Amino acid sequence: MKIEILTVGKPKASYVKDGLSEYLKRLKVHLPLSMKHVPDRSKRKNAEKVLEEEGKEILSTVGDEDFLVLLDVDGRLVDSVSFAAWVQKKLNETPKKLIFCVGGAYGVSEDVKRRANFLLSLSPMTFPHEMSLLILVEQLYRAVMINKGSAYHH
Amino acid sequence: MKIEILTVGKPKASYVKDGLSEYLKRLKVHLPLSMKHVPDRSKRKNAEKVLEEEGKEILSTVGDEDFLVLLDVDGRLVDSVSFAAWVQKKLNETPKKLIFCVGGAYGVSEDVKRRANFLLSLSPMTFPHEMSLLILVEQLYRAVMINKGSAYHH
């Protein structure tokens, strides 16, 4: 099973781009991971319209058999060890792709929430969406290290 | 009341330094905030000795009347709005300093945990200690924006 990280727009903050490229570099030797971006429409004024358009683009890239994990502050909280076990289990299963979707500045549409197979919360705290992406990638790297029994723990 | 962020060693990862300097720049016009570092002893092999020495240094910088918040994965989870209200309440109270302590690579000693007035968890997930520092500073900035009624929400 392949893993895809799906975001709305490419990250802009330089600290996010730096951290991301560091963790993606470390991850790519361990996981069949790719990044995909749908266009960021958040410059438009009407938030509802932004969510609707971005939502359509997100859903058009998700296949029927793909397993869609949506990052959502109100989703399920898990610790890193449980997350690692869960990722391993999913990698061993059959669906075509495991997709982690990080919404845009306004979040995602209700349609995307309904399509999601799992809502994952990184914290009850609200993080900038770009920071959530960085945290997600670090947690995937941590998951790989936990599953390998490595001493990475910093 | 002043706010101090107390860390073990200075951050090394360039993405953390970049993100931190961005948020500290934004924060300093709003909050009387300073950073303090105690020496990082984690290069030594004996983790217990590292924690003991770092713990002593941490405790020597904390005054009797200071309110010490320790970041701890097993601490209390709060959402950003509650955190903002809590920070505002603390700023209005009397203790000398509100100190947020982010431990080192091995965490902190039991003595530091016992001295802490509050254990704050950013997530049930384990984050690198440097990333926790970055998240904390963003949450402080978010708290200020929430308390000002600003539209910052990304």
Side-chain angles (χ1 to χ4, degrees), chain A residues 46-106:
Chain A
N46 185 332
E48 247 176 74
K49 203 85 190 143
V50 170
L51 287 181
E52 190 190 319
E53 287 184 20
E54 290 176 350
K56 276 183 189 158
E57 303 247 24
I58 289 169
L59 292 176
S60 74
T61 78
V62 178
D64 285 349
E65 289 167 51
D66 295 341
F67 193 95
L68 180 63
V69 179
L70 177 65
L71 264 63
D72 187 303
V73 71
D74 297 319
R76 182 96 67 89
L77 291 163
V78 291
D79 63 59
S80 299
V81 171
S82 310
F83 180 67
W86 183 87
V87 168
Q88 190 56 53
K89 185 168 158 279
K90 281 292 153 206
L91 286 172
N92 297 340
E93 282 177 7
T94 46
K96 278 171 79 179
K97 253 190 285 182
L98 174 61
I99 303 177
F100 289 93
C101 176
V102 182
Y106 295 107

Side-chain angles (χ1 to χ4, degrees), chain B residues 1-3 30-32 67 83-98 147:
Chain B
M1 184 190 238
K2 286 180 183 169
I3 296 186
H30 300 289
L31 276 188
F67 193 94
F83 181 67
W86 184 87
V87 168
Q88 190 57 54
K89 184 169 158 276
K90 282 291 155 205
L91 285 172
N92 297 340
E93 283 177 6
T94 46
K96 279 170 79 180
K97 255 190 284 181
L98 175 60
N147 291 333

